């Protein structure tokens, strides 16, 4: 099955945000690296790969574990909030149109073909980013880190997105760049297109380098 056939065959497309629609993964990386430096931990891109799709608090807990650092809960909250402040400083520089290749063409095509469009993101900053980049108006439903109790790989965010647009899970496809997100989509019984330039992900239906490949019928 090709990516385009999957998209044409569903009633709803559910997008992950970071790394699928916008290039914010690098901002998360820079902000975590800056925080890790505070406790002399050399946080690299190798560790960062494991944080894709993982919530803010779970990411911090993993970094503290890797750094072998014991931090009380109240202080953990401060660290997470400091990281978020630095992250948002980078987000503030984003402008309308700062989206990954193929994003606008795909959203426009989905609107023209009467598909429901939803966001299913772990980020609590999702709305801000959609607004800054000028793509919020395409979405029929936005489900983000503020809307769920259980983060990916739990299917909650995708199931809620499907409910919000009134489509059964079997009629949805999820676009994801993280293994936690693919596993969440699978647990929700949805089809999955992986956005995975480096061929590191597994358990998807189709893989593309980026969204610009989806409307090309060869992929
Ligand atoms: C996911 C990112 O989309 O959102 C993770 O892949 C990030 O890296 C998570 O930790 C939570 O984001 P935020 O914006 O709420 O800190
Ligand atoms: Mg992502």
């Amino acid at each position: 099955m090709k990516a385009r056939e999957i998209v044409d065959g569903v009633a709803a497309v559910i997008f992950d945000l970071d790394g699928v629609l916008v290039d914010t993964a690098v901002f998360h990386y820079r902000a975590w690296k800056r925080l890790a430096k505070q406790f002399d931990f050399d946080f690299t891109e190798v560790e960062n790969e494991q944080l894709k799709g993982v919530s803010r608090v779970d990411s911090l807990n993993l970094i503290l574990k890797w750094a072998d650092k014991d931090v009380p809960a109240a202080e953990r909250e401060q660290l997470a909030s400091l990281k978020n402040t630095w992250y948002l400083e980078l987000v503030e520089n984003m402008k309308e149109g700062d989206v990954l290749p193929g994003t606008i063409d795909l959203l426009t095509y989905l609107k023209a073909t009467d598909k429901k469009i939803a966001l299913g993101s772990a980020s609590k900053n999702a709305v801000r980013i959609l607004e800054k980049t000028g793509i919020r108006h395409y979405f029929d439903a936005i489900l983000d880190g503020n809307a769920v109790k259980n983060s990916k790989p739990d299917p909650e965010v995708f199931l809620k997105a499907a409910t919000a647009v009134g489509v059964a899970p079997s009629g949805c496809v999820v676009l994801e760049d993280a293994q936690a997100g693919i596993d969440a989509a699978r647990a929700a019984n949805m089809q999955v297109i992986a956005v995975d330039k480096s061929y590191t992900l597994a358990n998807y239906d189709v893989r593309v380098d980026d969204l610009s490949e989806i409307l090309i019928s060869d992929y």
Side-chain angles (χ1 to χ4, degrees), residues 16 18 28 32 51-56 59 83-84 87 121-125:
D16 174 50
D18 298 310
H28 282 294
W32 284 129
L51 301 185
K52 285 191 178 162
V54 175
S55 73
R56 195 183 310 162
S59 299
K83 179 265 172 177
N84 196 49
Y87 173 69
S121 167
S123 174
K124 294 186 170 175
N125 298 303

Side-chain angles (χ1 to χ4, degrees), residues 16-20 52-53 152 176-178:
D16 174 50
L17 175 69
D18 298 310
V20 170
K52 285 191 178 162
K152 300 171 187 177
E176 258 293 349
D177 73 321

